[in-house]
């Protein structure tokens, strides 16, 4: 198992702490599984057959988690760490925007000023998926530039 460069390790640890602190609590299941797979790739290495649940029918949650980890196993440890950081940043930014829109909507409902940002927002899953894809492309670009 390779060791991440100290700056990347620190950024990865900060992102993991943010997730543990609830920064991505509004993420959909797909985004959460994607984060899980990347996290496991960095922390545990490549997924092995022995980690796969015996039956997806008896343990669908475990099977989904294994599949996410296994799909992230094609990445290098550095690529997985960079994609994890980018995804957490995208989800955190989206969560902050949603919170601001909710606060603005509450202000409007109580007679205060402000715009109708909430009415103009795309569905949550679409926005998070788009932000994850953006973050992954950005991370891949950074990783290629570092090589």
């Amino acid at each position: 198992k390779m060791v991440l460069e100290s700056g990347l390790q620190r950024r990865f640890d900060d992102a993991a702490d943010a997730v543990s602190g609830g920064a991505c609590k509004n993420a959909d299941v797909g985004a959460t599984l994607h984060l899980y797979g990347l996290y496991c790739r960095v922390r545990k290495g490549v997924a092995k057959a022995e980690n796969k649940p015996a039956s997806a029918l008896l343990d669908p949650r475990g099977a989904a988690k294994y599949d996410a980890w296994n799909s992230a196993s094609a990445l290098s440890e550095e690529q997985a760490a960079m994609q994890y950081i980018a995804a957490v940043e995208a989800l955190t930014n989206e969560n902050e925007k949603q919170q601001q829109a909710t606060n603005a909507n509450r202000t409007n409902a109580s007679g205060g000023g402000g715009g109708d940002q909430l009415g103009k927002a795309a569905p949550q899953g679409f926005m998070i998926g788009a932000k994850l894809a953006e973050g992954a492309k950005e991370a891949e670009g950074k990783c290629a530039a570092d090589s």
Side-chain angles (χ1 to χ4, degrees), residues 38-109:
L38 293 171
Y39 180 87
C40 285
R41 171 60 186 101
V42 174
R43 292 285 195 222
K44 299 178 182 180
V46 175
K48 298 176 181 79
E50 64 201 38
N51 301 113
K52 187 174 186 171
S55 170
L57 291 175
L58 297 177
D59 186 6
R61 183 172 182 239
K65 290 169 73 175
Y66 174 81
D67 289 344
W69 180 12
N70 192 42
S71 63
S73 292
L75 302 171
S76 72
E77 188 175 352
E78 288 81 12
Q79 289 172 323
M82 292 178 80
Q83 285 188 23
Y84 183 86
I85 293 163
V88 170
E89 288 173 354
L91 290 167
T92 301
N93 291 339
E94 189 57 37
N95 195 30
E96 288 171 3
K97 287 179 188 175
Q98 288 176 355
Q99 187 60 44
Q100 289 171 355
T102 300
N103 291 342
N105 193 43
R106 286 183 186 143
T107 301
N108 288 340

Side-chain angles (χ1 to χ4, degrees), residues 8-65:
L8 183 57
Q9 182 68 53
R10 191 171 29 259
R11 290 176 52 217
F12 176 81
D13 291 341
D14 289 346
D17 289 344
V19 171
S20 294
C24 301
K25 66 183 175 204
N26 294 330
D28 63 17
V29 173
T32 303
L33 284 170
H34 181 67
L35 287 176
Y36 177 83
L38 293 171
Y39 180 87
C40 285
R41 171 60 186 101
V42 174
R43 292 285 195 222
K44 299 178 182 180
V46 175
K48 298 176 181 79
E50 64 201 38
N51 301 113
K52 187 174 186 171
S55 170
L57 291 175
L58 297 177
D59 186 6
R61 183 172 182 239
K65 290 169 73 175

